[in-house]
Structure formats: structure tokens, C-alpha cells
Amino acid sequence: MVTRATSHSTDGETRRRVTRLLLERGQATAADLAHDLGITATATRRHLDAMEAEGQVETRVVRTSGRGRPAKSYQLTPAARTSFGHTYDDLAMEALRWIRRFEGEDAVGGLGAEQVARLEARCRAAMDAVDSDDSMARAQALATAMSGEGYAATASVIASGGQICQHHCPVAGVAAEFPQLCEAETRVISRLLGVHVQRLATIANGDGVCTTHVPGTNRGRQATGASGGSGPVPLPDPERADR
């Protein structure tokens, strides 16, 4: 017989796992979460319903290519994300507003650039130990370094090149009002990889994950076209890009 206390403990652990999965994925359907959790979709929806009632998750409708009903996707609410910690508090927000009011937008951008310059220095030091000829290793090293800074970042190869996803933003609350921070961070990623990158989504803008697209090399695209397939293209090699 399962006691009430044991049941509550099990529920709490499952919901912590759901929270972690949604943090890593950005968003997911109940079926996808059930597969990773190893429980039924019905049980997963029960947990999601409870979390939604508590303001921990919110839903989005995802259109599918088929004729079936649109799928319901879940993602963490801003309130749920705060449990993972933020490095800026209300005082920092007020300080930035003061700077903007009396010094202007350019001063805010300058402060953002100075802050991410320190992040860039720490990430570059972590990447120096990686083989410069292994572009995917460099992207993974950058993701690992950013994770150490609180970004819960991952790197992956996709058909058009690669992408770096930041599943948590330590400054999301501030960046929502001051996008200069996101812009400065994007420039840092570009410099570290040695190629122009494009920010496709940000947590500060209400997306589930900060996603940065890294374009593939011409050689990789030609190889894909020659084979007639659409397989992964290697991430660009920053060392070659500088030549």
C-alpha cells in the first residue's frame, strides 16, 4: 500500500524531472515527456495539469503538417524559471533605468558590452584547449563554458549548419527590458566561433530557449548537395574563416 506521504514524494520528484526536461527542451508535448519519463501519457498530463494550475507551466498549440488535431506543447513559465536563479536583482534593473534616463541608450549598450567582455574572456580561455580543426568540438566547448556561467547551453548540428541553445538565461528579466544585453551576447558568440551568427529566439522575448544559428561552411553545403541528401552539415571552422 502506498501512503499519502510516499505518493506526494513521488509526485514531487516526477515534477522536478518534468521541470528539468522542459528547461532543456524549451517546450515539449505530453507524449514526448512521457517517453523520457518512462510513464504513461495520462500520468504525465496529470502532472502537467497540476503544474499548470500552480503557474509552473503554460501551453501552446503546435500546428502539425497532417490532418490530425493540433498538438498541445508545454513550456515553463517565467515564474518557474526563477527557481533556477538569476544574477540580476531589482537593484540592477533600477540602475540600468537610471543609466538610460540620464546617459542614454548608448551607455546601456556600453555597459552590456563590458559585462559580456568578461564572459567572452572566460569562455575563450576554456576553448583554447580545444583542437581548432574540430569545429563541433569548439561549439561544444563554448556551450560547456556557457553552462558554467549559468546558461545550461547545448550545441548541435543541423542541416543548415549548427546551433547553440541556451536553456536558461541568468539575466532574462533584465534583458526583456534591455535587449542590448542579448545583442552584446550574440556578438560574443560570433567572435568566439569566428563566424557571423544569427539569434533566432530568446528567453527574454518569451521563447522557451535562446537559439543561435551558426551557418554551415560552403564545403559542407556542396557535399550535402552532391549526395542529394539533407544530412547534417559541419559547423564552420573559425580558424579557416579567418584566412
Side-chain angles (χ1 to χ4, degrees), residues 18 21-23 25-31 33 44-49 51-52 57-62 71-77 208:
V18 170
L21 286 170
L22 289 177
L23 178 68
R25 291 185 173 205
Q27 59 181 11
T29 65
L33 292 170
T44 301
R45 290 190 185 92
R46 178 175 63 82
H47 289 294
L48 289 167
D49 288 344
M51 294 174 70
E52 186 173 12
V57 301
E58 55 191 8
T59 61
R60 285 186 176 183
V61 175
V62 179
K72 182 187 290 186
S73 183
Y74 295 83
Q75 66 180 36
L76 295 179
T77 62

Side-chain angles (χ1 to χ4, degrees), residues 80-168:
R81 288 182 177 278
T82 60
S83 64
F84 292 91
H86 291 271
T87 58
Y88 283 81
D89 55 15
D90 292 340
L91 179 61
M93 183 76 81
E94 290 302 320
L96 284 169
R97 289 170 180 162
W98 189 95
I99 292 172
R100 180 174 60 189
R101 185 165 62 251
F102 292 101
E103 302 295 334
E105 296 287 352
D106 289 345
V108 174
L111 176 62
E114 181 176 335
Q115 291 298 312
V116 296
R118 301 170 187 171
L119 170 69
E120 180 177 4
R122 292 191 294 270
C123 289
R124 189 177 296 280
M127 295 175 67
D128 283 344
V130 180
D131 183 358
S132 61
D133 291 329
D134 190 339
S135 55
M136 191 61 206
R138 289 182 64 82
Q140 183 59 60
L142 176 56
T144 300
M146 294 185 74
S147 291
E149 301 290 332
Y151 291 90
T154 58
S156 59
V157 177
I158 59 176
S160 60
Q163 65 182 17
I164 293 178
C165 293
Q166 297 155 230
H167 304 277
H168 177 59

